[in-house]
Amino acid sequence: MRRIIFGIMLLGCMMQGAFAQNLGIKGLVKDGRNKEPLEFANVVLQTMDSVFVLGTTTDGKGSFVLDKVKSGDYLLVISSLGYETQYVSLNGFNKSVALGDIPMEDASVSLDGVTVSASNTSSRSDRKLVFPSDRQVKASTNGMDLLQQLMLPKIQVNPMSSEIKVPGNGEVQLRINGVKVELQEIKSLLPSDIIRIEYHDNPGLRYGNAEVVLDYIVRRPETGGTLSLDMSQGVNALWGEHRFSGKINHKKSEFGASYRIGPRDFYGMSRDNEEIFHLADGTELHRKETGDPSHARMFMHNVNLNYSIQDPEKYLFNATFRYWNNHQPNWDYRGILSNLENPDDYVDMVDLNSEDNQVPALDLYYQRNLKNDQTLVFNVVGTYNRTSSHRFYQESRDQELLTDINNRVSGNKYSVIGEGIYEKKLANGNRLSTGLRHTQSFSNNEYRNGHNYDTHMNQAESSLYGEFKGKVRKLDYTLGVGVSRSYYKQDGTDDSYQYYTFNPRFTLQYALPGQSFVRLRGYVGNSSPSLGNLSAIEQVIDSLQLQRGNPQLEAYMRYRLALTYEFQKGIFYTNLDGAYEYLPNPIMDEKFQEGNKIIQTWNNQKNWQRVTGSAMFRVGPIKDILQFSFTGGVNHYISNGNTYSHTYTNWYCNLQASLTWKKFMLMYQLDTNWNWFWGETLDGGENIQILMAKYNFKNLSLGIGAFNPFSDNWKVQSENWNQYASSKKTSYIKESSRLFVVSVSYNFSFGRTYKAGQKRLNNSDSDSGVMSTGK
């Protein structure tokens, strides 16, 4: 009997020990903002001295289970890109536990030390947090290259023209840690320093009429520095993009400088232009301009000097001096103007253009972080825009001069932009912000074209706004309202206007299962006439056409409603977007007869409408090697003027592919024409192809590429559908086809440790205030 009792007791102890070795931990990880399950979150069980025990990831429902855990003292660590890491203490763990819901909050700015193996996007109602993968970082040489690798919706990166843009005339604002920057400062970023890119595809009222805001969140070194050299040079043509930059950090201070030069020198530029004129005397002239190869030469210079000092918990002061110069000594067209009804009736034509723009600007910014999640921001930007241009146009027959036009324009524009913003973070991720902004511009222009015109103009823009961001269950919403005032006055005339507008805005975003959502957004904005179009002066275009400013132009409203659906799961991403725009009384071009001349001017027309739709599909990265994206879309325009009515439909597409293997990278990009129709003018886009290959070794990158490698007829087309003077123009640059480029970049850094801070405003003035001329 004793043996039986002892055996039972021994079996019980063994069973108790067995169960003790099979304890379990389970839980449900959720997004702390929208309470949606968070899939692919990392769950790690470790001892109190950080020794790894077990690990797993959450499933599609955000659930995780850890089995066969021994009794003991543990720390459970839950992490996911874009979220703050959560820690759960399990002291005295001796029985299975169900932890229930574990909320994950948004990550702070800095994620130092994190290596991302696959790109990750976390969507918010007003922006996306895009974390570049380790593969994408290694395949890129600067911030612009990295953006091209990410293949974001709408964003078009063109290294040939050195542009980051969205289709159409939308504004792209660039920032680094919230600081307003120019493209050259983005190109000075080291990819390894970029933590994430905040892609605002639904900017709030504080961003004005911006279509997209790209904010690069980067590591800020506390000590050390960097030097960077990036050079791309055409082999068979004088085309170049060369940049040198450096930064030095000491404690709370950072000093930075960069210089960029972009030379262009082409001898294969030409223009064909077919025009039909209906003159006041009842005659019709159908003539064609047949171009000969001519010279185009341009040099672009950018200098940036920056100083900033910050205490990340308290304040940030940033001062940036920028100097931009575009020197264009030659942009020439030569050819023959012939009467198509009588081939023997022709004249020789020259249209020689030169221009020089110089734009120094000083940007001062101060941000103060207050108690209780409050922030004050102040920003002042002063800009001087000096423009000098010369146009020399002649028509001659048998050495006899028939038309002689010599236009010289000199412009000086001074502007100051001041802005103040208050932000308050509320409970549950809600946010309240208000702001006041004022722009004051003065423009003094001289026009010399046989007559002497001097204009002195004063323009002001003021706006006050408030915006609230909130959430109700799965619905994120943003409600904003602004009031703006526009003012214009030209000295020596009675020409002036004062215009007030009311600018509401809303966004409704509903979270769907997984990482999908549907979003409806609408806004009412306003646009003011440019100082150049307001000038009460006249310039000659050719023997039959004049261009005339209109001081009676008035500001107009813009209404836009957009619907977006986004889906992301694993390596698959889809974005569907549709929008309707309505602009009453927009400022658009018009032409009319005056004697035997055609007058080209601008006026407030009846309305302009656009219906647009696009679909983007992206796959990758596949096994951290291949990434592919395709975008297709359509634009339908309705343009109703005071004397005309036109409709136009344009289909377009974009294709990108990136292949990375070890230290090699291969990239291909194809863009078809994204055309813009405004008033009576059709401005055609570019059909471009880019093929590039790179080899990266430590801090050195060597590359070779080709622009339009499979085409020898790069061209840009435009049309005007006016009843009195219609035209179809095609411009060519032979060197833009089959242009082969070699590139080299080298990045060097020393002694860096990191801290991060943010600047949140974006102000700049790029309007020269001068009326342009030419065909």
Side-chain angles (χ1 to χ4, degrees), residues 532-588:
N533 291 349
L534 284 165
S535 301
I537 60 100
E538 186 177 274
Q539 295 198 82
V540 181
I541 298 176
D542 57 25
S543 57
L544 295 173
Q545 300 179 91
L546 302 175
Q547 181 173 275
R548 183 180 296 166
N550 182 2
Q552 305 303 316
L553 297 175
E554 296 182 352
Y556 59 93
M557 304 300 295
R558 310 175 68 95
Y559 301 87
R560 190 171 194 270
L561 192 66
L563 182 65
T564 302
Y565 169 73
E566 183 171 292
F567 170 82
Q568 181 173 348
K569 187 173 181 64
I571 63 173
F572 299 99
Y573 172 84
T574 299
N575 181 283
L576 306 178
D577 191 82
Y580 172 72
E581 295 177 81
Y582 177 74
L583 281 63
N585 305 313
I587 297 172
M588 300 193 295

Side-chain angles (χ1 to χ4, degrees), residues 7 18 89 123 163 176 187 189 223 263 268 282 351 387 401 438 500 533 549 553 628 634 667 712 741:
S89 178
S123 293
E163 289 181 305
I176 297 175
K187 295 181 73 172
L189 289 177
T223 59
D351 189 354
T387 301
L401 190 60
H438 180 75
Y500 292 87
N533 291 349
L553 297 175
F628 171 85
V634 60
M667 188 275 293
D712 62 355
V741 175

Side-chain angles (χ1 to χ4, degrees), residues 619-748:
V619 180
I622 302 173
K623 293 183 184 274
D624 210 29
I625 296 175
L626 178 65
Q627 186 171 225
F628 171 85
S629 77
F630 173 82
T631 301
V634 60
N635 292 302
H636 179 68
Y637 300 92
I638 303 172
S639 183
N640 294 316
N642 300 325
T643 59
Y644 57 80
S645 180
H646 303 295
T647 61
Y648 173 72
T649 302
N650 164 236
W651 294 87
Y652 64 93
C653 73
N654 167 271
L655 173 68
Q656 293 185 73
S658 175
L659 177 66
T660 302
W661 177 253
K662 296 184 178 179
K663 298 178 181 180
F664 295 91
M665 190 275 291
L666 181 65
M667 188 275 293
Y668 175 76
Q669 178 177 330
L670 167 69
D671 292 309
T672 65
N673 287 343
W674 200 107
N675 298 337
W676 181 261
F677 194 90
W678 181 256
E680 295 193 282
T681 302
L682 169 63
D683 290 316
E686 300 176 275
N687 280 324
I688 61 173
Q689 297 179 69
I690 302 172
L691 183 62
M692 300 184 69
K694 288 184 180 180
Y695 174 79
N696 297 316
F697 179 73
K698 295 184 178 180
N699 296 327
L700 179 67
S701 176
L702 303 175
I704 185 170
F707 296 103
N708 299 309
F710 310 113
S711 172
D712 62 355
N713 65 338
W714 180 91
K715 60 186 178 182
V716 173
Q717 295 179 305
S718 64
E719 299 181 17
N720 187 277
W721 296 1
N722 182 260
Q723 60 179 320
Y724 302 115
S726 62
S727 63
K728 293 183 178 180
K729 181 173 66 177
T730 306
S731 298
Y732 306 89
I733 298 181
K734 183 175 178 60
E735 288 87 347
S736 291
S737 296
R738 296 176 181 170
L739 172 62
F740 294 92
V741 175
V742 294
S743 64
V744 58
S745 68
Y746 180 75
N747 300 318
F748 173 73

